[in-house]
Amino acid sequence: MKNTQSENNLPEPTKAELEILQVLWEFGPSTVRFVNDKLNEQREVNYTSTLKQMQILTEKGILKRDESQMKHIYIPVEAEEKTKVQLLDRFVNTLYKGSASQLMMQLLGNEKTSKKEIEEIKRLLDSMD
Amino acid sequence: MKNTQSENNLPEPTKAELEILQVLWEFGPSTVRFVNDKLNEQREVNYTSTLKQMQILTEKGILKRDESQMKHIYIPVEAEEKTKVQLLDRFVNTLYKGSASQLMMQLLGNEKTSKKEIEEIKRLLDSMD
DNA sequence: TGTATCGTACGAAAAACATCGTACCTTTAG
DNA sequence: CTAAAGGTACGATGTTTTTCGTACGATACA
């Protein structure tokens, strides 16, 4: 089966880019300073490195920004869900030939998926229909 | 600086490396020629590029090879499942803070996940316990 | 037996990613 | 007014990943 990329096709975010997106998803539109501080809670990064990444992200059309103030505010162009769905879709296609149920089985067989999680999933499915 | 990975934890395969693994998973132990031909059904790659990648994979300990013949036979060190579980685990952690059920919801909300898939998953869950 | 074919080895170029230093502009406090 | 603090821009550099050219050994066979 052909993988027809849908019309709005943003480039795949890289690892460093994902880190930044996560901060924006969690805390909403932010300045570079804020994002950089958050990143530095996990690992050391220079301010200008984060700045550069966010500028690149903007060039790529993954972020947009409000430049009306000196402290630019960065905002993801696509909603968190949408981006994650895209990544998930790519993941399922690459590793499981698009079969969600196969991925599921792996998930369920994984010890790290707790009983609680499994119950959660069951309830979710029952409440679907 | 050196990246000391713990014994059990093989380095994350890169994109190009995954392509090769997939061929080996699907068709079993193979020669470079065979893998390269398969890859070229999808995109153009030079034979020596594939060779090099497979040599690198071997250095990294992701593949091993039988050199008893001139045409070396390459074999994944870890089983397909094990590697996939690792990748999946990483994926869930990165994008869903480790919550499998959150990932599920995304999967189920995705139009590309067919009714049939969903039925499959339900049956799977019911038959678990 | 020589030459075309098919294999491996490997360095190095190319491309993609990530990080940082420096220049320079604005704002703010004294 | 001026210096310090804090902001953006952006080229340069470092690193990792990917691709490829070239050298050279083994094999096949006319």
Side-chain angles (χ1 to χ4, degrees):
Chain A
M1 183 196 325
K2 204 61 191 176
N3 185 3
T4 44
Q5 301 276 5
S6 67
E7 50 292 339
N8 82 38
N9 196 9
L10 291 179
E12 183 162 11
T14 67
K15 227 178 153 183
E17 289 173 352
L18 247 192
E19 278 186 325
I20 291 170
L21 275 177
Q22 314 235 33
V23 173
L24 294 176
W25 287 336
E26 181 165 3
F27 300 98
S30 314
T31 63
V32 174
R33 174 64 58 196
F34 181 85
V35 172
N36 186 245
D37 285 350
K38 285 298 169 190
L39 293 185
N40 274 277
E41 288 173 9
Q42 305 176 317
R43 66 188 183 93
E44 197 177 324
V45 212
N46 190 301
Y47 176 87
T48 56
S49 303
T50 305
L51 170 62
K52 181 71 166 199
Q53 285 295 344
M54 291 175 77
Q55 286 169 342
I56 291 172
L57 242 358
T58 305
E59 278 171 25
K60 286 196 191 174
I62 293 177
L63 298 184
K64 62 190 170 190
R65 67 181 173 190
D66 174 356
E67 309 182 356
S68 64
Q69 312 297 326
M70 181 166 88
K71 304 184 183 186
H72 296 175
I73 305 285
Y74 289 78
I75 306 159
V77 168
E78 301 288 0
E80 173 174 4
E81 293 311 284
K82 187 164 177 185
T83 302
K84 283 188 178 177
V85 165
Q86 272 178 18
L87 291 172
L88 178 52
D89 198 48
R90 193 140 30 193
F91 188 82
V92 177
N93 283 330
T94 317
L95 252 65
Y96 300 93
K97 302 187 207 269
S99 161
S101 56
Q102 279 222 231
L103 186 156
M104 268 303 295
M105 284 196 277
Q106 205 107 105
L107 224 37
L108 295 172
N110 190 341
E111 291 164 15
K112 291 194 181 133
T113 302
S114 66
K115 299 281 182 216
K116 222 171 158 185
E117 285 277 5
I118 293 180
E119 283 313 315
E120 182 91 24
I121 292 169
K122 278 192 182 178
R123 246 181 300 122
L124 183 67
L125 273 168
D126 288 341
S127 73
M128 276 197 69
D129 308 326
Chain B
M1 193 188 312
K2 212 51 190 185
N3 185 5
T4 37
Q5 297 275 2
S6 86
E7 314 69 43
N8 194 9
N9 205 5
L10 292 178
E12 181 163 14
T14 67
K15 229 179 149 183
E17 289 173 353
L18 245 191
E19 279 187 323
I20 290 171
L21 275 177
Q22 313 234 33
V23 173
L24 293 177
W25 287 337
E26 179 165 5
F27 300 98
S30 313
T31 62
V32 174
R33 173 64 60 197
F34 181 84
V35 171
N36 185 246
D37 285 350
K38 285 299 170 190
L39 292 185
N40 274 278
E41 288 173 8
Q42 305 175 319
R43 66 187 183 94
E44 197 177 323
V45 211
N46 191 302
Y47 175 87
T48 56
S49 303
T50 304
L51 170 63
K52 181 70 167 198
Q53 285 296 344
M54 292 175 78
Q55 286 171 342
I56 291 172
L57 277 169
T58 305
E59 278 171 27
K60 287 196 191 174
I62 293 177
L63 298 185
K64 62 189 170 190
R65 67 182 174 189
D66 174 356
E67 309 182 355
S68 64
Q69 312 298 327
M70 181 167 91
K71 305 184 183 185
H72 296 174
I73 304 286
Y74 288 78
I75 306 160
V77 167
E78 300 289 0
E80 173 174 5
E81 293 310 282
K82 184 165 179 186
T83 302
K84 284 187 177 178
V85 165
Q86 272 179 20
L87 292 173
L88 177 52
D89 199 49
R90 195 138 31 192
F91 188 82
V92 176
N93 284 330
T94 318
L95 252 63
Y96 299 92
K97 303 185 206 269
S99 163
S101 55
Q102 279 219 232
L103 187 156
M104 267 304 295
M105 284 196 277
Q106 204 107 107
L107 224 39
L108 296 172
N110 191 340
E111 292 163 14
K112 290 189 182 142
T113 303
S114 67
K115 299 282 180 215
K116 221 171 159 187
E117 285 279 3
I118 292 180
E119 283 314 314
E120 182 89 23
I121 292 168
K122 279 191 181 179
R123 245 181 300 123
L124 184 65
L125 273 168
D126 288 341
S127 72
M128 276 198 69
D129 308 324

